[in-house]
Amino acid sequence: MKLSRKWLNEFVDVADVGDRDFAEAMTLSGSKVEITEVLNESLQNVVVGRIVSMERHPDSDHMWVCQIDVGEAEPTQIVTGAWNIHVGDLVPVARHKSLLPGGVKIEKGKLRGVVSNGMLCSLKELNLTAEHDYPYAVITPAAILNDYKPTDPEKPSIPADVQPGHKIYGPVVAARVCTCETVAYGRYAAELDTGSETVQAETACQNLHEGDLVAYNTKEGTICTLSDLHAEQREFPHCITDGIWVLNEEGVQPGDDMAKVIGADDHVVEFEITPNRPDCLSVIGLAREASATFHKPLKLHTPEIRGCGGSIADMLDIEIEDGELCPRYTARLVKNVKIQPSPAWMRERLRNCGVRPINNIVDITNYVMLEYGQPMHAFDFSCVEGGKIVVRTARPGESIQTLDGKDHALTEDMLCICDEHRPVCVAGVMGGANSEIIGDTAQVLFESANFSGSSIHRTAAALNMRTEASSRYEKGLDPMNTMLAVQRACELVELLGAGEVVDGVLDVIAKDSWPVTVELDAPKINAFLGTDVPESEMRTILESLGFQLEGSTITVPSWRSDVEHWSDIAEEVARFHGYNNIPDTLSGGLNARRGYTPAQKAENALGALCRAAGYSEIITYSFISPTYYDKIDLPADSPLRVSMKILNPLGEDTSIMRTTTLPSMLEILSRNYHYRNKAVRLYELGRTYFAKNDGSGMANEPKVLSLGAYGSDCDFFSIKGAVETVLEGLRISDVRWEAERTNPSYHPGRCAKVYAGGTLLGVVGQVHPHVAENYDVDCELYAAELSFDALLASMGGRPVYQPLPKFPAVTRDIAVVCDKNVTVGALEECIRQGAKGLLKEVSLFDIYTGTGVPEGKKSVAFNLTLRSDERSLTAEEADADVASILALLKSQLGAVLR
């Protein structure tokens, strides 16, 4: 929100507060200032000058040497190529060492040997336009025959040696300007030599000077413009609509500062307004904040309207179909409308607040929006068929062309302002081209309405049309503001002479908004803030903000929809008592002992164990592309493809929530591989997302520990060893491994599932070569995926340290012959089950196939460590345990002693 401080001073006098102090105080009270701009900093040493005399440049056929009165004892000399100025004109003069918008610096110099002490300025050089800022300065040039350049040199329309009296066409002849004098602003009296006589002609063309050849219509007695000759601009290259700005401002004198003339003597403050404070998107809203901040009275104005008779009720009817979408609709009618430029003071205020002036009616709606924060719309009433306004949602198949000339198909949830047959406005967003205010508009209907913020937000987003009005409506506006805004608009209509206001107001309230009340509890607020603010000060603060107090009951003003609870009142007290005045205090309550939860301890332990194993942590996005599932060869019917979709994705590549972390890990491994990192070891503890089946739209978000690695020293056993390190560090016991050959993302011969007892912890192995190829990687990739919940559930308790054994161990080596398809893990499990309590360790030391071992068999050798904690073992006791183990191996797995 851009705020003109000159405009603000109309409501609260803070002219004596410097910009820095103003910005700091407003920010500390809750209205954050982003930028303060001093407009005249970009326009320095530019003054009003009056042209005293003009002489042709001795060395140029198009330049003038001008003597300019700039309010000093002697005129200053300036050389210019301008063609639209005359003696007596008031013009902007950029003097020696002046500054123009855009950082342009002007200094004195010489033009073709003649000293020039500055430059005369056009509107463009002052960062202004005739169309929007100073409409009176629009230039209509005459066709200067001396400047004629034929588009086809072989077929010129005007001969090069044309002289006064030569016929151009019909009654139009060439004539030479003998004299040209200014008779009024924009009106010039010229004496012309037509070759046979001397005639007088009055014209609005500014580019006439003594000696110029012009086309003179002897029948009409007028000097011809380019359009009169049906000529193209390129045929008369210097006869253009741009030129020096000839001023017509009331009370302007030579020497006056141009910054003040154009309203650039203002200071503009840009605020960052939070969505919960739409009331501050207005001059009055910020004036309330400034009044409370600087303890200065707020001066509000009550609009007064004379009216012209008649009754709007006899001409218009309003119907609201859904009070939830449109709680209130207020309208007034203006007749005998005169579309014309707004006065300079209004254009200045709009321009300084970042709004482009258009015409008086449109400018009034924008002015009221800035002043009151209430968007308004003006309809050409003749386009409202049936004399009825219906506020409703669009019908199936309806469409509208908006003021920007674009056609939009409307859906049935979009709120529209309609006449009896069709939409004439997309409510709260933009008006329709079928009711646009144009030059011949005679009757205007001013609309000031309140709409549902969420409805306007959805419509603006669906139509991709975010406007100043929609950005305000979607934050939730004050329904009580519609009447004041429409009254102010009609007051401005009468003030500007833009029309006659028909008596009466149509104000339809479809939904009452009851005032919110909150109890004032000073001790509770002080305890909450840690302050000792007197209740009287609290009351003063609240009353300065427009809150009404009766006893301890606070009635919240309608424009403060963000205040609903006593804690909101505490915030108001804190803001204006001053955050800097709140002392630092310790909490009055007892501090509970805090610590990590078991899950947090497990997470910390996992990270430390992975880093100790040489793995570096990564953090990846939880939203992925659906194509990631194809890259890991996930089957089409896999339940992992059932992903939660993001409603407003940044793009297709981030449109779903992942159900597996493997693609994210492989993306990072692939990126490192293509960056030519020779060896990489990474881990991540990340979430996956699965929709709950309770219809809530919420997700289960289990965490997964992912490991990924590649490099010359990396193989299945190295990543398996890393997983074993993690499991051992978490004191997970009863770990077993099973071959996994069905997971399409992993190599079927180099992948295993890992269990803790009967709990599946996850999978570890080499990534399938085809999947690696999908990532454009031609080396072996290894990965592991472990469920954090399963790891947490399988963690051992706190470690209990045992003393070193007192008695020696007995070792035995056994080699058994079994079928090749019997796994080492199965043999180890059987050995542990067959022991009678003396077995402490089992370790594999050999697997052999070949001579001496039957076909289809293999020899597997283990080292067994047996010990008793109570005594030294005898050979017989050790042999008995070994015999029990061998018997179980034979009975369960068919494994016999070699």
Side-chain angles (χ1 to χ4, degrees):
M1 171 70 188
K2 287 187 175 181
L3 174 69
S4 159
R5 289 200 60 185
K6 286 174 66 175
W7 195 351
L8 175 69
N9 288 336
E10 206 175 89
F11 297 97
V12 55
D13 187 4
V14 289
D16 59 336
V17 181
D19 285 343
R20 184 171 182 175
D21 292 338
F22 178 82
E24 182 177 355
M26 292 294 286
T27 298
L28 286 176
S29 67
S31 303
K32 184 182 178 184
V33 174
E34 286 288 303
I35 300 171
T36 298
E37 181 182 4
V38 181
L39 298 183
N40 61 10
E41 283 185 346
S42 62
L43 188 66
Q44 297 179 14
N45 203 20
V46 181
V47 299
V48 175
R50 187 187 303 278
I51 299 175
V52 177
S53 66
M54 296 174 61
E55 295 180 1
R56 295 282 186 180
H57 193 291
D59 197 24
S60 172
D61 60 354
H62 71 280
M63 300 181 76
W64 297 91
V65 180
C66 303
Q67 301 300 320
I68 312 291
D69 175 9
V70 291
E72 296 181 346
E74 297 293 331
T76 188
Q77 179 171 291
I78 291 180
V79 178
T80 179
W83 50 268
N84 68 309
I85 54 174
H86 299 83
V87 172
D89 286 347
L90 290 170
V91 293
V93 180
R95 306 184 65 187
H96 175 53
K97 292 188 176 181
S98 60
L99 180 66
L100 297 177
V104 177
K105 296 180 179 179
I106 303 298
E107 295 184 351
K108 67 180 180 180
K110 288 186 177 182
L111 292 177
R112 296 195 181 183
V114 178
V115 173
S116 180
N117 294 307
M119 182 181 78
L120 307 186
C121 299
S122 67
L123 282 164
K124 184 177 180 181
E125 287 156 343
L126 299 177
N127 200 27
L128 301 168
T129 67
E131 179 183 4
H132 299 296
D133 298 305
Y134 290 92
Y136 70 76
V138 174
I139 297 171
T140 302
I144 305 297
L145 302 185
N146 318 57
D147 191 43
Y148 175 67
K149 300 290 186 296
T151 54
D152 184 355
E154 300 297 326
K155 299 179 180 179
S157 300
I158 302 172
D161 59 348
V162 64
Q163 295 296 321
H166 288 183
K167 184 176 180 179
I168 306 300
Y169 73 90
V172 177
V173 300
R176 188 178 304 279
V177 178
C178 300
T179 62
C180 182
E181 296 180 355
T182 304
V183 293
Y185 182 83
R187 300 301 301 175
Y188 304 91
E191 183 177 277
L192 305 177
D193 174 12
T194 65
S196 59
E197 61 178 332
T198 300
V199 297
Q200 304 292 326
E202 187 171 312
T203 181
C205 299
Q206 291 184 345
N207 60 328
L208 300 180
H209 297 91
E210 182 182 343
D212 288 340
L213 272 176
V214 297
Y216 175 68
N217 190 319
T218 57
K219 182 178 180 181
E220 302 291 338
T222 58
I223 296 172
C224 296
T225 64
L226 270 62
S227 60
D228 293 332
L229 298 181
H230 305 288
E232 298 181 31
Q233 176 66 66
R234 57 181 176 165
E235 295 180 271
F236 295 85
H238 294 98
C239 299
I240 54 178
T241 57
D242 188 20
I244 299 302
W245 179 19
V246 178
L247 297 167
N248 189 31
E249 300 299 298
E250 185 177 347
V252 171
Q253 297 294 327
D256 287 353
D257 186 357
M258 277 301 303
K260 186 173 182 180
V261 172
I262 66 174
D265 57 336
D266 198 357
H267 295 206
V268 174
V269 183
E270 186 169 351
F271 288 87
E272 179 185 323
I273 306 300
T274 54
N276 67 318
R277 291 300 305 275
D279 60 299
C280 288
L281 290 170
S282 66
V283 178
I284 290 177
L286 289 171
R288 288 193 186 100
E289 295 290 305
S291 171
T293 300
F294 296 101
H295 310 292
K296 296 199 173 184
L298 180 67
K299 299 171 288 185
L300 294 179
H301 168 70
T302 301
E304 296 180 1
I305 302 163
R306 297 187 302 273
C308 68
S311 174
I312 188 175
D314 297 333
M315 306 172 69
L316 178 69
D317 186 27
I318 296 174
E319 178 185 343
I320 299 175
E321 290 190 357
D322 190 336
E324 292 294 330
L325 297 181
C326 179
R328 189 171 186 177
Y329 193 98
T330 310
R332 290 206 71 162
L333 188 63
V334 178
K335 66 179 184 179
N336 297 328
V337 172
K338 301 174 184 176
I339 305 297
Q340 56 192 9
S342 301
W345 64 266
M346 179 175 281
R347 298 198 308 270
E348 171 192 321
R349 288 187 174 182
L350 291 174
R351 187 169 59 246
N352 291 354
C353 289
V355 177
R356 186 183 66 184
I358 304 294
N359 60 50
N360 52 358
I361 298 298
V362 176
D363 291 351
I364 284 171
T365 62
N366 287 331
Y367 189 91
V368 172
M369 181 180 69
L370 291 173
E371 189 173 50
Y372 283 80
Q374 171 65 44
M376 294 189 64
H377 187 65
F379 300 97
D380 185 334
F381 186 62
S382 65
C383 299
V384 180
E385 296 182 13
K388 185 175 183 179
I389 290 290
V390 182
V391 185
R392 60 171 174 82
T393 52
R395 307 287 189 240
E398 283 188 324
S399 62
I400 189 173
Q401 185 180 78
T402 46
L403 290 171
D404 57 5
K406 296 180 180 179
D407 294 317
H408 301 277
L410 303 174
T411 58
E412 296 177 46
D413 61 344
M414 293 180 180
L415 189 65
C416 300
I417 311 301
C418 311
D419 57 21
E420 284 194 333
H421 306 293
R422 58 179 180 166
V424 294
C425 176
V426 181
V429 181
M430 187 179 287
N434 54 15
S435 61
E436 181 181 5
I437 303 296
I438 54 178
D440 61 353
T441 296
Q443 291 181 311
V444 168
L445 179 68
F446 279 107
E447 165 197 283
S448 179
N450 186 259
F451 303 116
S452 163
S454 58
S455 172
I456 301 305
H457 176 74
R458 287 193 302 269
T459 299
L463 297 178
N464 195 25
M465 295 172 61
R466 185 172 177 82
T467 61
E468 282 288 336
S470 68
S471 67
R472 283 170 162 80
Y473 275 121
E474 65 189 20
K475 294 174 177 63
L477 298 181
D478 176 15
M480 305 302 292
N481 206 22
T482 62
M483 178 62 77
L484 280 171
V486 78
Q487 296 290 76
R488 175 60 166 156
C490 291
E491 180 185 47
L492 289 170
V493 166
E494 294 184 339
L495 180 65
L496 271 56
E500 300 173 357
V501 181
V502 176
D503 287 348
V505 183
L506 288 182
D507 187 26
V508 180
I509 302 175
K511 180 185 177 183
D512 287 328
S513 52
W514 301 101
V516 175
T517 59
V518 182
E519 291 299 311
L520 176 62
D521 189 337
K524 190 174 185 179
I525 291 173
N526 278 321
F528 181 66
L529 297 177
T531 56
D532 190 20
V533 179
E535 183 175 328
S536 58
E537 183 181 340
M538 293 183 185
R539 289 178 173 272
T540 300
I541 290 171
L542 295 172
E543 287 171 350
S544 70
L545 292 168
F547 293 81
Q548 296 179 0
L549 290 94
E550 293 184 10
S552 62
T553 300
I554 305 169
T555 301
V556 180
S558 58
W559 60 84
R560 290 301 303 274
S561 58
D562 60 310
V563 177
E564 300 175 337
H565 189 258
W566 68 266
S567 58
D568 299 321
I569 298 297
E571 181 182 357
E572 300 304 299
V573 172
R575 288 201 300 136
F576 292 100
H577 174 69
Y579 292 115
N580 290 344
N581 296 324
I582 298 177
D584 296 332
T585 57
L586 294 174
S587 173
L590 293 175
N591 289 325
R593 297 190 61 178
R594 303 295 181 188
Y596 290 116
T597 65
Q600 290 170 329
K601 291 178 180 178
E603 289 184 20
N604 293 339
L606 279 174
L609 291 166
C610 290
R611 291 189 294 273
Y615 286 72
S616 300
E617 184 177 17
I618 61 171
I619 300 174
T620 60
Y621 290 120
S622 297
F623 34 86
I624 62 172
S625 167
T627 61
Y628 279 20
Y629 295 145
D630 297 328
K631 294 180 74 172
I632 63 171
D633 288 350
L634 208 60
D637 59 350
S638 172
L640 292 179
R641 284 186 178 267
V642 182
S643 304
M644 300 185 72
K645 295 182 180 179
I646 299 174
L647 294 178
N648 55 340
L650 298 175
E652 182 66 20
D653 289 343
T654 55
S655 61
I656 61 172
M657 304 303 292
R658 66 186 179 190
T659 57
T660 170
T661 57
L662 181 61
S664 303
M665 177 59 71
L666 295 180
E667 285 289 331
I668 304 303
L669 290 177
S670 169
R671 189 177 305 167
N672 277 273
Y673 177 79
H674 292 119
Y675 287 165
R676 300 186 180 182
N677 290 330
K678 295 182 179 180
V680 172
R681 285 174 171 78
L682 305 172
Y683 82 92
E684 179 185 21
L685 187 59
R687 292 190 183 276
T688 54
Y689 298 82
F690 299 88
K692 292 182 178 180
N693 295 323
D694 56 3
S696 65
M698 303 300 288
N700 290 316
E701 304 176 13
K703 287 186 176 181
V704 175
L705 174 65
S706 305
L707 285 79
Y710 69 80
S712 58
D713 60 344
C714 184
D715 58 17
F716 171 81
F717 296 104
S718 62
I719 194 166
K720 176 176 178 286
V723 173
E724 288 175 330
T725 298
V726 170
L727 301 182
E728 183 179 347
L730 296 180
R731 300 177 300 283
I732 296 176
S733 59
D734 199 15
V735 175
R736 60 187 178 88
W737 302 80
E738 286 186 4
E740 168 59 68
R741 296 183 174 85
T742 61
N743 192 321
S745 302
Y746 290 90
H747 192 300
R750 300 179 185 176
C751 180
K753 291 180 180 177
V754 56
Y755 291 84
T759 302
L760 175 63
L761 301 180
V763 63
V764 59
Q766 180 187 337
V767 175
H768 199 290
H770 183 261
V771 174
E773 184 181 336
N774 290 341
Y775 286 89
D776 198 21
V777 174
D778 57 5
C779 73
E780 295 179 356
L781 301 177
Y782 294 90
E785 301 169 79
L786 304 176
S787 166
F788 175 72
D789 291 339
L791 292 173
L792 184 62
S794 303
M795 278 183 63
R798 296 182 64 183
V800 178
Y801 292 93
Q802 301 290 335
L804 293 173
K806 296 180 180 180
F807 303 100
V810 175
T811 60
R812 292 285 190 271
D813 292 341
I814 62 171
V816 295
V817 178
C818 62
D819 292 337
K820 279 188 175 181
N821 60 0
V822 177
T823 64
V824 172
L827 292 170
E828 285 189 2
E829 181 67 22
C830 193
I831 290 171
R832 295 183 188 280
Q833 290 179 5
K836 295 182 177 181
L838 299 177
L839 182 66
K840 299 299 183 184
E841 293 181 15
V842 180
S843 60
L844 171 75
F845 69 86
D846 184 50
I847 298 177
Y848 172 73
T849 58
T851 305
V853 177
E855 188 71 24
K857 301 286 186 178
K858 64 182 176 182
S859 171
V860 184
F862 296 93
N863 176 263
L864 310 180
T865 300
L866 302 98
R867 181 189 295 110
S868 170
D869 296 330
E870 300 172 352
R871 64 188 185 282
S872 295
L873 290 181
T874 63
E876 291 77 10
E877 289 175 318
D879 291 341
D881 252 34
V882 172
S884 175
I885 291 169
L886 292 173
L888 191 61
L889 285 170
K890 182 177 181 180
S891 64
Q892 287 195 358
L893 302 176
V896 297
L897 188 65
R898 181 179 174 189

